Amino acid sequence: MDYVFYILAIWIVGSGLLAILQRNLVHCAVALIAFFAGIAGIFFSLHAEFLGAIQVVVYVGAIAVLILFAIMLTRHVTGEEEVSPFSRHAIWGWIASAAVLCVLLYSLDKQMFAISAEPSQITMLDIGNAMMQRYAVPFEVISLLLTAALVGAVVIALEEPRERK
Amino acid sequence: MVTLTHYLVLAAVVFCIGLAGVLTRRNAIMVLVGLEMMLNAGNINLVAFWRYLGSQAMSGQMFAIFAIAVAGAEAAVGLALLIAVYRHFRNVSVEEISSLKG
């Protein structure tokens, strides 16, 4: 089963780099869809099937389409960006993220985790029960937050009337 | 044998790709894309720790579910803000939108 992880890792890193590096924004969005699908695969390989399905529905389905819509509303449909991510003033961004990567890998190298012999496994039934019992309050709060955010998004994006009569 | 560290290294690499996107791209939409990638890296970490640190607790998965919900709200509000900004400036380049600069 090991090769599944390596294939997914190469897939994710490759599509993530494509999404970051391409100049054409629509191509970036397509690479981003592949990236999100790869993350869903990682969730499946970790036996978090519910999360994998959620990832496909929310990210691959909704957020990717939202980003595509935003690209098409703010640019011409096949809009090219005028500045390449390889330009001179972007170098500090690359240096900073490489430094963060070095720090993360160094701290991972130093760390030992108490791995349990028995990998956790929960079913969708457990998640449903937890949502309605132990996590009932956070569940309601998150639904309120989502409602407020969506209403706010509509209000912000709505064109203000030119003249009120 | 794929261990917890494999997943953590993958998440670190994904996080830094997203960070590079946030720092190097000039289009505000691409900055949001980088942000989403960083959030996904965090979710990988949560689920990997849930899987490998055992003890039938499900907080790792529940946290990831709530993180995805918050990320969805963030994406919706962020893109709505970008559309409003575009309507005002006819541009979403983070370098052109500098009215608040003294």
Side-chain angles (χ1 to χ4, degrees):
Chain A
M1 283 299 283
D2 282 5
Y3 62 92
V4 174
F5 173 80
Y6 292 112
I7 291 172
L8 279 173
I10 292 168
W11 172 273
I12 287 172
V13 172
S15 57
L17 281 175
L18 267 184
I20 289 306
L21 295 180
Q22 294 212 34
R23 291 185 69 176
N24 190 316
L25 294 178
V26 178
H27 295 180
C28 286
V30 174
L32 190 73
I33 293 174
F35 170 83
F36 286 150
I39 300 278
I42 282 287
F43 287 159
F44 282 118
S45 80
L46 280 166
H47 291 262
E49 291 88 1
F50 181 66
L51 259 181
I54 290 283
Q55 173 85 11
V56 171
V57 171
V58 173
Y59 276 102
V60 181
I63 291 184
V65 172
L66 210 61
I67 286 171
L68 266 175
F69 262 106
I71 289 170
M72 290 175 181
L73 282 175
T74 55
R75 292 261 152 180
H76 312 293
V77 172
T78 54
E80 299 267 336
E81 201 176 4
E82 58 287 333
V83 188
S84 152
F86 291 117
S87 55
R88 284 275 298 282
H89 60 270
I91 188 93
W92 290 108
W94 288 105
I95 291 174
S97 52
V100 171
L101 182 63
C102 289
V103 171
L104 285 178
L105 293 183
Y106 176 76
S107 56
L108 270 180
D109 195 40
K110 295 275 149 196
Q111 202 75 35
M112 288 299 289
F113 298 106
I115 311 267
S116 81
E118 193 69 26
S120 329
Q121 206 147 15
I122 57 176
T123 61
M124 230 138 111
L125 184 68
D126 298 326
I127 294 178
N129 279 331
M131 282 250 188
M132 287 296 115
Q133 287 161 15
R134 185 165 173 210
Y135 295 95
V137 176
F139 182 73
E140 297 300 330
V141 171
I142 208 82
S143 6
L144 256 182
L145 174 78
L146 264 179
T147 314
L150 292 182
V151 173
V154 170
V155 169
I156 291 169
L158 208 65
E159 197 154 11
E160 58 259 44
R162 294 261 174 270
E163 278 171 53
R164 202 161 284 165
K165 290 185 180 166
Chain B
M1 181 64 189
V2 176
T3 61
L4 173 60
T5 313
H6 284 77
Y7 285 99
L8 297 185
V9 168
L10 173 66
V13 171
V14 169
F15 182 87
C16 290
I17 292 174
L19 184 64
V22 170
L23 292 179
T24 58
R25 294 309 290 251
R26 289 289 164 270
N27 190 306
I29 294 175
M30 293 312 296
V31 173
L32 267 179
V33 165
L35 220 59
E36 294 293 333
M37 293 170 87
M38 289 157 80
L39 283 164
N40 267 298
N43 281 345
I44 294 179
N45 266 3
L46 285 173
V47 180
F49 275 120
W50 160 79
R51 172 82 174 153
Y52 282 97
L53 298 192
S55 83
Q56 299 310 309
M58 54 178 70
S59 14
Q61 272 212 43
M62 300 307 284
F63 260 89
I65 291 172
F66 289 130
I68 287 178
V70 173
E74 172 259 320
V77 174
L79 292 172
L81 276 174
L82 284 187
I83 289 170
V85 164
Y86 178 75
R87 195 175 298 127
H88 191 80
F89 290 95
R90 311 310 291 173
N91 204 333
V92 287
S93 170
V94 287
E95 289 193 330
E96 314 271 321
I97 309 165
S98 54
S99 301
L100 280 179
K101 215 166 163 184

